[in-house]
């Protein structure tokens, strides 16, 4: 199965779509920069993690044995890219008067809850920065020995100028280091650095910084960029297939990862660099300071000022999958309402597949449809195009139901399997009515719908409307369709 | 509120119930030994974690600010207490041909899922052994400097004989070290030790042991006992209030924790030692080798040979709470069926509280009941006695419904609050029908019950029975009561 695919991935490094060939088939090693657990997971990050959940699922579908490593940054992520400002977790701990690890645990737990409600698969390994301090210290020593890092006032910095003599700092983000250096202002705390572009591998802890460990240079903590280089290469090898993350991490974070790895291991760490694009809200960049921001749980519960109702996580997931991961995606009330309609249409059609009437022949080319579905996903994980293909099949499903198209026994089985593969396993969507406890609801609704049908057959519109209106009060919407009446729950 | 309680805790160290006085009110520091994540969480461990979840919940109810630290052992737990045999995680990784951290992550994830379905609150901090290697190395150095540990062949062992000159190794488990030494066989790999009772603080890694880190003595990994001493004292201080765990950990694990802490910090680490008792299955000890074993998910799903049906996690939690945490608890089909009946009776009564008829006076002593509830929990977290109190109230609730007892407005509010506190917040139980999605079910059922009531008022027994029977087909049982008709879902 693996040799048969035609998967092409857009590689930020080359700026082109490249045919995917894993370094050690049938294995694939993928690393994605995870959250810094100092606050509720951001909805833009949720989009990024979902994008790589899609990648993970599709690679597994293709038959690869994928080791997906996604880290937890539980120390060392400073507020400023210039290595100044407070550690985000430290700051939150100080403000809430809690031990930093309590902050870490609370937001790690929240992160897991949100991703699970979003039906993301757990990664293979979820290493923490604090769980790899010794390795980070060892790599820092290596870089110092190789003349690519230096100690200054107890901190250790990576020497970008030195690195750039042999390599190309800026190769990923296509920046020119001379331009970078010319444009850098001299900021506070930059005196320790030989060059403003240099970045911390190890930071000496200030007096208030609770999280600190001994090292050859000072009591301190690791630099954020180094954490990812260490954790990715430890579990995936010094060279691995895919590195993913949000587009905002391209520079300096991912650029630094390349530099650290090339410096320490003398080879490029990553074959395919994948970046997911941003999420905007009502056409504007999301920002806490402007108030143009929303938490995933606020979107799911409806407890916000931007949307007229609550939206189930599956609807939000569907909405996100309708855009290509490399496109900017705008979140708005209208867009979500439309997505919800689309999602319900898709799920309803999926439920109908089980009971399609079987004929002698199939009147359309199912196999061509399956081939097209794969082609769309092979084209850099083009989920919106896959979804369009699924809606094509919705038309066929309805046509089979009304008799204008037919399907035979064999193709019926194929269609069930493929629908399940594409909708549930690859896109990670499931019908909202299928949450546990709803077998009972299906049963009770069946009775009520039968009663309403009986009333309508007797032209007793008052009873029919009363049942509909009473159910609406409980958040249950009846949907009259060609095949009978279904329902959805708010 | 804190000063008003009369909580007494059974302290393994003294063998007596002691009045609980926290070291730094209003704070309480509690550490519980967590799982070694090399396999599915064991149902006996589930009982232990639930016992301390109860303790956590009750201490919070009393008004304490509790920092609950429960670790994850992700390295260093060897098969044999004599520090021989394989690391449990290493072994599983080798058998499944996976990287050890993949094993760790899979079973950490499973552990969290099971505990959440059991409605355990997450702890404040959940540190991992691999996240505290530097601290473990530092403490080991300290113990060597103090002459309480020695290096041998790259491993470091705690010198129990030396320790016992100034202290009492065996104070927790009431064992005599001379007897222990006389009775120890000389096992393989004990040559490195001066005394068979000595235990590893750091182990040199054998060639196949993937998990290894550099240290002053060898490439290796920490000893399991040391991990808990380090993680508990780091986040709770060198002396903290409560240390919990299963009874099987008393010796040597907890005994070693005391020795390490007294050795390193010159003071007893823990004020109150709490131990939860074992779970048996059909009267026998649980054991994989005899086949007398069951996984939590097998009990929840009914997919096993011991029980005639599936049991909801809340029913299992209720069953466990009906025994005191220090008693042996036997799991059997009959016991679970009885627990399910009791749980349903309790939940049904709880639901009725909302609609109790209000009178001028309360005909019984509600405040005495509240006082008794607290007294039971104050008596070393006596949950079975609290549950008996709750069933006393069930009698009053039914009596109020049939008019033989009365309750006034004010006490109705009190009853609602207290019931919620004791049942939901302290015992951590919730009614199974209240899982999300059932607002809709409640609504649909309301309509159907109204229709059935109308039919019965018109003596249309056929319609009334038909509705009842059809609902039964969907697993919904109608319960005709004095206050109207309710329902339950299988």
């Amino acid at each position: 199965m693996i040799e048969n695919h035609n998967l092409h991935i857009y590689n930020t490094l080359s700026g082109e779509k490249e045919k995917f060939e894993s370094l050690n088939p049938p294995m694939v090693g993928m690393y994605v920069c995870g959250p810094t657990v100092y606050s509720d997971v951001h909805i833009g990050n949720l989009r990024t993690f979902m994008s790589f959940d899609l990648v993970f699922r599709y690679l597994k579908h293709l038959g690869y044995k994928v080791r997906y490593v996604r880290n937890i940054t539980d120390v060392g992520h400073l507020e400023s890219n210039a290595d100044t400002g407070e550690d985000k977790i430290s700051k939150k701990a100080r403000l809430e008067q809690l031990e930093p690890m309590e902050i870490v645990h609370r937001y790690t737990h929240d992160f897991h809850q949100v991703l699970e409600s979003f039906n993301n698969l757990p990664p293979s390994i979820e290493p923490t920065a604090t769980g790899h301090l010794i390795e980070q210290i060892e790599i820092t020593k290596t870089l110092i020995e190789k003349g690519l890092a230096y100690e200054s006032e107890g901190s250790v910095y990576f020497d970008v100028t030195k690195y750039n003599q042999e390599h190309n700092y800026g190769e990923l983000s296509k920046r020119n280091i001379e331009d970078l250096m010319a444009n850098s202002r001299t900021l506070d705390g930059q005196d320790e650095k030989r060059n403003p572009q240099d970045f911390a591998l190890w930071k000496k802890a200030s007096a208030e910084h609770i999280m600190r460990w001994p090292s050859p240079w000072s009591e301190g903590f690791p630099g954020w960029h180094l954490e990812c280089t260490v954790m990715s290469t430890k579990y995936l090898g010094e060279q691995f297939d895919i590195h993913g993350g949000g587009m905002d991490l391209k520079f300096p974070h991912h650029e630094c990862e390349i530099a650290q790895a090339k410096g320490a291991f003398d080879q490029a760490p990553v074959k395919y660099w994948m970046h997911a694009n941003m999420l905007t809200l009502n056409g504007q960049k999301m920002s806490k300071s402007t108030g143009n921001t929303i938490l995933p749980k606020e979107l799911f519960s409806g407890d916000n000022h931007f949307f007229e109702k609550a939206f189930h996580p599956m609807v939000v997931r569907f909405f996100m999958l309708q855009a290509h991961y490399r496109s900017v995606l705008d979140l708005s009330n209208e867009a979500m309402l439309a997505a919800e309609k689309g999602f319900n249409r898709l799920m309803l059609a999926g439920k109908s597949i089980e009971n399609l009437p079987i004929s002698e022949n199939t009147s359309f080319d199912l196999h061509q449809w399956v081939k097209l579905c794969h082609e769309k996903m092979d084209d850099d994980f083009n989920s919106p195009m896959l979804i369009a293909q699924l809606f094509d099949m919705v038309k066929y499903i309805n046509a089979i139901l009304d008799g204008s198209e037919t399907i035979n026994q064999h193709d019926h089985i194929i269609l069930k399997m493929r629908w399940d593969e594409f909708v549930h396993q690859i896109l990670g969507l499931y019908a909202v009515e299928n949450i546990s406890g709803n077998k009972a609801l299906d049963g009770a609704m069946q009775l009520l719908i039968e009663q309403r049908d009986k009333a309508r057959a007797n032209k007793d519109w008052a009873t029919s409307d009363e049942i509909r209106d009473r159910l609406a009060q409980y958040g249950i919407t009846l949907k009259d369709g060609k095949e009978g009446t279904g329902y959805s729950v708010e």
Side-chain angles (χ1 to χ4, degrees), chain A:
Chain A
M1 196 181 192
I2 291 169
E3 277 81 292
N4 287 347
H5 76 75
N6 191 32
L7 177 61
H8 283 67
I9 299 183
Y10 180 89
N11 191 346
T12 306
L13 205 49
S14 62
E16 289 174 5
K17 285 185 200 173
E18 301 177 20
K19 177 133 176 37
F20 178 71
E21 276 158 10
S22 71
L23 293 163
N24 300 300
M27 324 286 250
V28 168
M30 175 165 83
Y31 182 87
V32 172
C33 292
T36 299
V37 285
Y38 75 112
S39 69
D40 295 301
V41 62
H42 188 274
I43 203 167
N45 295 346
L46 191 61
R47 185 200 182 192
T48 300
F49 296 131
M50 190 224 67
S51 304
F52 293 103
D53 183 58
L54 177 69
V55 171
F56 183 38
R57 287 170 175 273
Y58 192 59
L59 289 170
K60 292 208 304 171
H61 170 78
L62 290 180
Y64 288 104
K65 196 167 164 354
V66 187
R67 180 176 290 176
Y68 175 18
V69 182
R70 186 185 66 210
N71 80 304
I72 300 266
T73 299
D74 57 350
V75 70
H77 192 169
L78 305 184
E79 288 178 301
S80 158
N81 272 337
D83 297 312
T84 53
E86 257 187 291
D87 176 303
K88 297 185 177 200
I89 291 162
S90 263
K91 179 173 184 176
K92 187 84 181 208
R94 188 171 54 72
L95 291 172
E96 299 207 10
Q97 291 182 37
L98 286 171
E99 147 71 43
M101 287 306 265
E102 280 182 298
I103 296 292
V104 162
H105 190 248
R106 179 199 299 173
Y107 293 112
T108 300
H109 183 75
D110 164 78
F111 170 69
H112 287 150
Q113 297 276 85
V114 174
L115 257 60
E116 192 175 303
S117 70
F118 217 57
N119 206 27
N120 271 24
L121 297 173
S124 314
I125 304 176
E126 206 171 21
T128 58
T130 57
H132 298 79
L133 296 162
I134 292 181
E135 292 87 337
Q136 286 151 15
I137 289 171
E138 294 299 299
I139 297 291
T140 303
K141 285 183 190 165
T142 300
L143 289 168
I144 291 176
E145 277 155 32
K146 289 180 135 190
L148 286 166
Y150 56 91
E151 182 184 344
S152 174
E153 313 281 333
S155 297
V156 181
Y157 296 97
F158 186 90
D159 194 330
V160 167
T161 319
K162 215 43 188 322
Y163 172 79
N164 215 42
Q165 287 168 3
E166 307 271 322
H167 300 99
N168 173 17
Y169 184 74
E171 62 177 296
L172 181 68
S173 53
K174 318 298 175 216
R175 292 171 200 231
N176 183 303
I177 189 180
E178 281 78 28
D179 291 345
L180 287 169
M181 297 209 272
N183 290 329
S184 306
R185 306 170 286 136
T186 308
L187 304 154
D188 282 339
Q190 300 304 291
D191 310 332
E192 288 181 13
K193 297 183 183 178
R194 290 177 190 168
N195 183 296
Q197 291 302 318
D198 294 350
F199 53 89
L201 299 174
W202 185 265
K203 282 289 276 182
K204 176 176 179 177
S206 62
E208 323 79 55
H209 200 279
I210 298 176
M211 293 182 290
R212 53 175 62 224
W213 293 268
S215 77
W217 316 285
S218 63
E219 280 231 327
F221 52 89
W224 176 43
H225 311 309
L226 183 61
E227 295 171 6
C228 285
T229 289
V230 162
M231 288 185 279
S232 57
T233 55
K234 173 165 181 161
Y235 297 110
L236 301 177
E238 290 172 7
Q239 208 185 27
F240 56 94
D241 298 291
I242 299 171
H243 191 312
M247 216 164 256
D248 57 327
L249 297 182
K250 234 191 279 186
F251 186 87
H253 190 54
H254 291 163
E255 201 73 70
C256 296
E257 282 192 52
I258 293 178
Q260 286 160 167
K262 281 191 170 180
F265 309 125
D266 299 305
Q267 60 178 330
V270 177
K271 200 175 172 194
Y272 305 93
W273 280 95
M274 296 180 66
H275 291 94
N277 212 330
M278 310 281 96
L279 197 63
T280 55
L281 178 57
N282 288 329
Q284 306 281 335
K285 187 176 171 194
M286 286 204 269
S287 154
K288 277 189 199 159
S289 42
T290 61
N292 193 45
T293 187
I294 185 170
L295 289 176
K297 56 177 160 242
E298 291 168 343
L299 180 57
F300 299 159
S301 69
D303 186 19
N304 64 78
H305 300 299
F306 297 102
F307 299 89
E308 63 185 67
K309 63 193 291 269
F311 292 103
H312 193 278
M314 281 299 98
V315 173
V316 181
R317 186 183 179 94
F318 175 76
F319 165 72
M320 290 182 172
L321 289 166
Q322 280 193 305
H324 190 258
Y325 75 92
R326 279 188 296 114
S327 306
V328 173
L329 177 59
D330 186 53
L331 196 52
S332 70
N333 188 51
E334 283 58 49
M336 282 306 305
L337 289 171
E340 188 174 57
K341 287 198 176 70
F343 173 77
N344 286 334
R345 237 174 58 237
L346 197 71
M347 291 298 116
L348 205 64
K351 281 180 93 176
S352 318
I353 295 176
E354 182 64 44
N355 299 318
L356 287 176
I358 305 303
S359 310
E360 282 280 322
N361 301 301
T362 305
S363 58
F364 57 98
D365 195 340
L366 179 67
H367 304 279
Q368 175 64 8
W369 175 79
V370 174
K371 194 157 161 282
L372 282 170
C373 288
H374 275 123
E375 263 178 37
K376 306 310 179 190
M377 283 303 289
D378 278 350
D379 181 19
D380 193 31
F381 309 96
N382 201 325
S383 53
M385 292 299 290
L386 171 60
I387 287 172
Q389 284 297 119
L390 293 170
F391 277 116
D392 268 0
M393 186 48 65
V394 170
K395 290 204 206 92
Y396 279 112
I397 288 167
N398 287 330
I400 295 167
L401 287 172
D402 75 29
S404 51
E405 298 274 0
T406 59
I407 193 164
N408 68 26
Q409 175 87 337
H410 176 255
D411 287 338
H412 182 233
I413 291 166
I414 301 272
L415 174 61
K416 274 197 289 189
M417 269 177 49
R418 295 304 190 187
W419 186 272
D420 178 69
E421 271 170 17
F422 287 118
V423 175
H424 302 127
Q425 292 174 39
I426 294 173
L427 294 179
L429 298 168
Y430 61 80
V432 174
E433 288 96 2
N434 283 349
I435 50 181
S436 68
N438 272 5
K439 277 215 175 92
L441 182 57
D442 274 352
M445 286 306 298
Q446 179 108 332
L447 262 180
L448 288 164
I449 286 169
E450 276 173 30
Q451 289 175 2
R452 183 168 169 268
D453 285 348
K454 238 184 268 179
R456 294 170 86 183
N458 292 333
K459 302 202 192 299
D460 178 4
W461 308 120
T463 300
S464 163
D465 288 348
E466 203 212 314
I467 292 177
R468 165 167 235 141
D469 295 342
R470 285 291 301 279
L471 289 172
Q473 282 174 35
Y474 301 124
I476 304 173
T477 313
L478 291 179
K479 300 171 183 304
D480 293 316
K482 295 184 208 296
E483 257 320 270
T485 302
Y487 70 95
S488 74
V489 180
E490 253 176 35

